[in-house]
């Protein structure tokens, strides 16, 4: 079973889904991606999660992010579950759900944790950049629903820091000040950060978010 670490190329795979066959890398194209797993169909917490993701479709699209879910049940089960999700969450599921009955993708992404369950996937989230590299991995227990506002916040940080020489501080949200990379010298700051900066310590320099007008 593979161990996937940050910075690794996200393993490619082909699989059946509720929106047809998927070649993962081709399906991602030039987009960022979220791959998130569910222990099984017709589970209560995951029902709320999939409904929530459907409602966030526009927010993900603004960030050039495609979302795909995975469960170890089959397509017929998925389709029935989608009907329940649409009904109970007052939404329409608008992203593919992979049918991983042979657990090929689950094992490829190390989603089977035997001490939690030998049969079902843990509830993992992988954020994958437009370069196909894994940027974030979070694994939740079955009892705790995922926070998709937090995933949007992290994606905002990942995309900002990928293209600007900054990092984001604790509890940062888009629009707030950011931290200048320690690798940047004070002499470089005026040209890179024309909005100005504040030096709290030589290693802690704050500047307004650079990609906002």
């Amino acid at each position: 079973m593979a161990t996937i670490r940050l910075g690794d190329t996200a393993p490619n795979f082909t699989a059946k889904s509720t929106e047809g066959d998927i070649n993962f890398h081709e399906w991602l194209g030039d987009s960022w991606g979220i791959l998130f797993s569910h222990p099984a169909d017709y589970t209560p917490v995951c029902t709320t999660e999939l409904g929530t993701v459907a409602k966030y479709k526009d927010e993900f699209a603004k960030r050039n992010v495609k979302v795909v879910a995975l469960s170890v049940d089959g397509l017929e089960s998925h389709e029935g579950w989608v009907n329940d999700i649409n009904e109970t969450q007052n939404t329409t599921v608008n992203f593919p759900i992979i049918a991983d009955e042979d657990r090929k993708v689950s094992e490829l992404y190390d989603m089977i944790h035997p001490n939690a369950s030998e049969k079902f996937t843990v509830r993992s989230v992988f954020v994958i950049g437009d370069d196909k590299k894994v940027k974030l991995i979070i694994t939740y227990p079955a009892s705790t629903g995922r926070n998709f506002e937090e995933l949007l916040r992290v994606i905002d940080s990942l995309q900002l820091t990928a293209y600007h020489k900054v990092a984001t501080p604790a509890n940062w949200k888009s629009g707030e000040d950011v931290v200048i990379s320690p690798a940047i010298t004070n002499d470089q700051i005026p040209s890179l950060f024309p909005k100005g900066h504040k030096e709290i310590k030589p290693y802690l320099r704050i500047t307004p978010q650079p990609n906002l007008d």
Side-chain angles (χ1 to χ4, degrees):
M1 188 177 290
T3 298
I4 297 174
R5 296 184 173 91
L6 298 183
D8 289 353
T9 298
N12 195 25
F13 59 83
T14 56
K16 297 186 180 301
S17 85
T18 52
E19 295 188 0
D21 292 350
I22 284 179
N23 176 298
F24 187 50
H25 282 191
E26 289 180 8
W27 178 80
L28 281 174
D30 295 327
S31 298
W32 287 59
I34 293 177
L35 170 64
F36 66 120
S37 58
H38 300 271
D41 293 356
Y42 299 103
T43 49
V45 173
C46 294
T47 297
T48 66
E49 290 181 326
L50 291 170
T52 298
V53 170
K55 294 173 183 176
Y56 276 76
K57 181 74 177 286
D58 289 346
E59 290 298 321
F60 289 121
K62 277 185 206 173
R63 294 161 173 84
N64 190 32
V65 177
K66 291 182 175 180
V67 178
V68 59
L70 173 147
S71 169
V72 295
D73 290 318
L75 277 182
E76 186 175 347
S77 175
H78 284 3
E79 288 161 1
W81 189 26
V82 165
N83 291 334
D84 278 8
I85 295 163
N86 292 343
E87 175 191 344
T88 62
Q89 306 304 305
N90 299 310
T91 190
T92 301
V93 172
N94 45 25
F95 53 87
I97 305 175
I98 291 168
D100 193 35
E101 289 180 284
D102 60 5
R103 301 192 301 184
K104 180 181 75 174
V105 181
S106 301
E107 292 182 358
L108 189 63
Y109 277 79
D110 193 21
M111 294 174 178
I112 306 290
H113 292 194
N115 289 330
S117 169
E118 292 190 0
K119 177 180 178 184
F120 299 122
T121 60
V122 292
R123 296 170 58 252
S124 294
V125 182
F126 296 87
V127 174
I128 297 155
D130 54 3
D131 56 1
K132 306 293 188 295
K133 303 291 187 184
V134 176
K135 306 297 185 182
L136 175 80
I137 304 169
I138 308 177
T139 298
Y140 292 75
S143 56
T144 302
R146 285 168 273 208
N147 185 328
F148 291 96
E149 285 285 345
E150 167 64 2
L151 284 178
L152 288 173
R153 187 191 78 86
V154 172
I155 289 166
D156 285 340
S157 174
L158 288 168
Q159 293 183 340
L160 171 66
T161 58
Y163 305 116
H164 298 273
K165 298 180 188 303
V166 296
T168 56
N171 295 336
W172 174 87
K173 293 179 182 175
S174 184
E176 297 177 352
D177 290 352
V178 297
V179 176
I180 297 171
S181 169
I184 301 302
T185 66
N186 284 339
D187 291 342
Q188 294 173 301
I189 288 177
S191 60
L192 291 174
F193 303 104
K195 296 178 183 178
H197 78 288
K198 178 180 179 182
E199 183 174 300
I200 299 170
K201 291 285 184 182
Y203 61 86
L204 180 55
R205 299 164 300 173
I206 305 297
T207 190
Q209 184 173 328
N211 64 342
L212 296 179
D213 295 332

